[in-house]
Amino acid sequence: KSQDSFVVSDLHLGVTYPDKPYHVMEHEAVHERLINSVENHQPSEIIFNGDIFSTKNADDYWVDMFSEFNSLVDELVFNIGNHEEKNGGFPKFVAEDYKVEMSVKRGEYLIHHGHRTPTTKSEINIIGHLHPTLEGKDVLLEKENAYYTTDVVVMPVFSDIVNGVDVHNQTSKGHCH
């Protein structure tokens, strides 16, 4: 099995809109994308890098979904994002069954949601939180010396129903992928 980590940020499970049934549809889409990614890359761990849930109330299918992910890798790690802080933590099943952190360090990488200043030093920060887009499409941003004098990678939002922030004017000094 690979020793790599698979990092995903901003699933925002539980987002609801009064006039649309996104809640269940988004769960199905996230489940399919994550299973395909894990099967293709075979990481040893999945790091859920904050804003995984937009609510503290867990649906049974979430419990089953994360249990399935857990059976495919050696470990699941849940980093706290601003939505988890706002909601008083993760749903009970996550807090009881999985590793919960503010950040994790893997070699030169510090993986944290990005809504708070990290207290651990690193060469490269991997963050979420910002939901970068370019011309309406999700993008991964990379920038040298951008985040407290370290390099930064900003992950796109994983959810298909949560809006992004257009970074068109911010890309002239960085790289978009």
Side-chain angles (χ1 to χ4, degrees):
K1 200 173 233 194
S2 170
Q3 295 302 309
D4 293 331
S5 301
F6 183 78
V7 181
V8 61
S9 185
D10 296 281
L11 274 65
H12 289 281
L13 294 171
V15 169
T16 56
Y17 294 93
D19 58 339
K20 296 184 180 165
Y22 283 131
H23 194 61
V24 173
M25 290 172 18
E26 180 61 4
H27 157 74
E28 292 168 354
V30 164
H31 181 241
E32 183 178 336
R33 285 194 314 269
L34 277 173
I35 287 296
N36 289 338
S37 295
V38 169
E39 288 175 352
N40 287 337
H41 299 288
Q42 299 184 350
S44 61
E45 72 176 342
I46 302 172
I47 300 171
F48 292 100
N49 197 22
D51 288 3
I52 305 310
F53 302 94
S54 288
T55 177
K56 196 170 179 180
N57 301 318
D59 289 322
D60 288 340
Y61 53 78
W62 294 347
V63 176
D64 294 342
M65 179 176 75
F66 286 100
S67 178
E68 181 180 1
F69 297 149
N70 195 43
S71 72
L72 297 173
V73 297
D74 296 334
E75 185 169 40
L76 299 184
V77 178
F78 288 79
N79 283 347
I80 297 168
N82 55 299
H83 281 264
E84 285 82 26
E85 284 187 350
K86 178 178 74 173
N87 292 323
F90 284 103
K92 186 176 180 181
F93 82 95
V94 171
E96 291 179 353
D97 296 340
Y98 301 106
K99 187 175 183 177
V100 173
E101 302 285 348
M102 277 304 289
S103 65
V104 291
K105 185 128 189 215
R106 299 292 183 262
E108 63 186 347
Y109 300 98
L110 181 64
I111 304 158
H112 58 100
H113 189 61
H115 67 294
R116 293 188 170 270
T117 303
T119 57
T120 303
K121 298 291 183 198
S122 69
E123 293 179 39
I124 301 170
N125 284 270
I126 297 177
I127 67 172
H129 185 58
L130 300 176
H131 306 187
T133 63
L134 185 61
E135 297 177 2
K137 297 187 187 292
D138 293 326
V139 293
L140 175 75
L141 296 178
E142 297 176 344
K143 179 78 172 84
E144 293 179 3
N145 296 316
Y147 195 80
Y148 303 102
T149 68
T150 68
D151 295 348
V152 65
V153 175
V154 184
M155 301 183 63
V157 62
F158 197 79
S159 170
D160 283 339
I161 63 169
V162 176
N163 293 331
V165 176
D166 191 334
V167 294
H168 181 72
N169 295 327
Q170 306 299 317
T171 60
S172 61
K173 297 179 183 175
H175 304 283
C176 286
H177 299 281

